[in-house]
Amino acid sequence: ASDPNYTMTYSAGTLTIESRLLVVTAINKGKVYDGQALPYNDFEVIYTGFVNGDGPQQLSGSLSFGAASTAINGGVYPIEPSGLSNPNYDLLYVNGQLTINKAPLLVVADEQSRCEGQPNPVFTYTITGFVNGETAAVLDVLPVGNTTATINSSPGLYLITFSGGTDNNYIVYYTDAYLNVTANPIVFAGNDATICATGVYTLADANVVGSDSFIWTTSGDGLFDNDHALHPTYTPGSND
């Protein structure tokens, strides 16, 4: 610019282009415990603030997600994005949340039986649902079986329940079973009898009630021809 009445003097100024705010927000994630960390490619972020057609390709570096990227056990972990840069953007990171839920386990009680007047057997169970090759050895507290039946309980069916199993990575569900307390078998060998020393005796009047399986024994040294038969023949020994 010029004017005959003025002498022009120019002074340089400064143009300041400030970096633009770019918000990088981690998306919340959830999974069921499987003994594995969440794959890197499953983490996601949302970018807010790009202008003039810019996108993630204008950013240098690579995203990392903090402790959540290596989390395995059940719990809640912050997803902490970081690692990107661009001189034109002032990056603000917003954390997300990774929730690892407990995996389900099913404890199935085994059916049991005993005769009345006998102590309860050891209650057993099977477990399904373990992941990554794990077994019951990883549980913090093992399930415990219980029943209302005592040594004095009458014959009948009594519920077997399990409870108490806990673990940070598993939630435990239960299926009950029954303890069958049966009446003691009644065994009748027959009436007293006298035979000759060289004779044999058949338990023709023998009877067993309340059992499908039995075995005959003797206080002497003779032999039964079939100690599992209902009516065996007994041959006395020298000490009978």
Side-chain angles (χ1 to χ4, degrees):
S2 64
D3 189 290
N5 298 317
Y6 293 93
T7 300
M8 301 295 188
T9 301
Y10 296 94
S11 296
T14 301
L15 172 63
T16 301
I17 301 177
E18 295 183 351
S19 57
R20 183 178 180 85
L21 178 65
L22 177 65
V23 179
V24 182
T25 303
I27 298 176
N28 292 335
K29 292 292 180 176
K31 59 173 290 191
V32 175
Y33 171 75
D34 60 1
Q36 305 287 333
L38 186 70
Y40 177 84
N41 289 337
D42 286 357
F43 289 99
E44 297 177 283
V45 296
I46 297 174
Y47 298 96
T48 305
F50 280 122
V51 295
N52 198 33
D54 285 348
Q57 65 273 15
Q58 271 71 48
L59 300 176
S60 301
S62 59
L63 271 171
S64 61
F65 299 97
S69 61
T70 57
I72 293 177
N73 294 320
V76 179
Y77 303 87
I79 301 174
E80 302 171 302
S82 64
L84 301 176
S85 64
N86 184 297
N88 295 322
Y89 291 97
D90 183 14
L91 275 70
L92 172 65
Y93 295 100
V94 178
N95 293 347
Q97 181 173 283
L98 170 63
T99 302
I100 301 179
N101 296 305
K102 294 183 178 184
L105 285 183
L106 179 61
V107 174
V108 180
D110 297 327
E111 302 287 339
Q112 301 279 0
S113 64
R114 66 167 175 84
C115 292
E116 61 178 320
Q118 298 296 314
N120 290 330
V122 175
F123 297 132
T124 57
Y125 56 86
T126 56
I127 303 183
T128 57
F130 285 112
V131 299
N132 201 36
E134 294 179 340
T135 67
V138 305
L139 295 180
D140 296 330
V141 180
L142 291 172
V144 176
N146 195 21
T147 185
T148 59
T150 69
I151 197 169
N152 298 317
S153 294
S154 301
L157 293 176
Y158 297 86
L159 199 64
I160 300 172
T161 61
F162 275 87
S163 62
T166 60
D167 189 77
N168 182 58
N169 294 321
Y170 293 98
I171 182 170
V172 186
Y173 299 94
Y174 301 93
T175 297
D176 300 333
Y178 284 98
L179 170 66
N180 185 14
V181 179
T182 59
N184 287 318
I186 300 173
V187 179
F188 177 64
N191 296 317
D192 292 343
T194 301
I195 62 173
C196 296
T198 57
V200 296
Y201 180 71
T202 299
L203 279 67
D205 296 326
N207 192 28
V208 177
V209 177
S211 178
D212 296 326
S213 176
F214 52 86
I215 182 170
W216 295 107
T217 61
T218 176
S219 59
D221 61 346
L223 297 173
F224 291 99
D225 63 344
N226 184 349
D227 56 7
H228 287 82
L230 181 59
H231 304 293
T233 296
Y234 180 71
T235 300
S238 60
N239 294 323
D240 282 316

